Amino acid sequence: MTKKIAVYPGSFDPITFGHLDIINRALKIFDEVVIAVARNERKSPLFTVEERVDLIRAVLKQNERAKVDTFEGLLVDYARSQKAQAIIRGLRAISDFEYELQMAQINRGISKDVETVFLMTSVFYSFLSSSMVKEVHSLRGPIDGLVPPLVKKALDAKFNR
Ligand code: ADP
């Protein structure tokens, strides 16, 4: 049987428990999940792509079914290069939906072989985003339940705390 492979693209600036929840749930459906950090950033990221990749690798530890990579250019082309049948995206609020639907339709227009699969956020993480984490951390609020300890350390280091 062909291996079921999914690409999970994003900024991961930095990875949160919300992302991890989506990764762990995707691993129940797919044989392999490729977490793909986008290099073509419109947003100005806090962590470099390499820092974000290292953090994801450290947080995931050794799991041969979860790979970490970077990509640039068209996501669909990247998914094809990974022999992925699916793109995973997480959905939190209705506000995510409009943009995500648009992206999924565009990607489907480019390639019919790659299906976008949406996983609904767990209630517990529905308000969690990387930008929220950065905001709370910058205000010296607690982020312990939002990101793994390694990520908190990396944030502290960025701000010389
Ligand atoms: P992007 O800039 O591509 O949105 P993000 O790193 O912000 O990159 O998000 C990557 C993916 O993870 C998106 O599909 C986003 O909806 C999803 N995601 C982020 N946080 C959560 C969360 N708390 N629960 C579910 N999905 C999430």
Side-chain angles (χ1 to χ4, degrees), residues 8-12 18-19 22 43 89-90 92 100 121 125 128:
Y8 178 35
S11 317
F12 304 99
H19 294 126
I22 296 289
K43 315 165 184 176
R89 294 289 287 174
R92 281 160 296 191
E100 293 293 343
T121 181
Y125 301 125
L128 176 52

Side-chain angles (χ1 to χ4, degrees), residues 90-106:
L91 278 184
R92 281 160 296 191
I94 296 281
S95 49
D96 280 342
F97 181 77
E98 208 168 306
Y99 173 76
E100 293 293 343
L101 177 65
Q102 218 174 350
M103 282 300 300
Q105 302 289 27
I106 295 280

Side-chain angles (χ1 to χ4, degrees), residues 57-97:
R57 289 216 170 104
V59 164
L60 288 174
K61 303 195 187 86
Q62 277 298 319
N63 182 345
E64 74 276 5
R65 294 206 296 124
K67 308 234 156 87
V68 190
D69 194 11
T70 64
F71 78 101
E72 51 197 330
L74 271 184
L75 174 59
V76 167
D77 288 342
Y78 174 73
R80 280 208 207 103
S81 76
Q82 296 298 303
K83 302 199 168 25
Q85 298 89 347
I87 292 166
I88 301 276
R89 294 289 287 174
L91 278 184
R92 281 160 296 191
I94 296 281
S95 49
D96 280 342
F97 181 77

Side-chain angles (χ1 to χ4, degrees), residues 103-121:
M103 282 300 300
Q105 302 289 27
I106 295 280
N107 285 336
R108 195 167 167 69
I110 302 170
S111 169
K112 303 256 177 295
D113 321 325
V114 187
E115 205 58 69
T116 304
V117 174
F118 292 104
L119 294 180
M120 304 304 146
T121 181

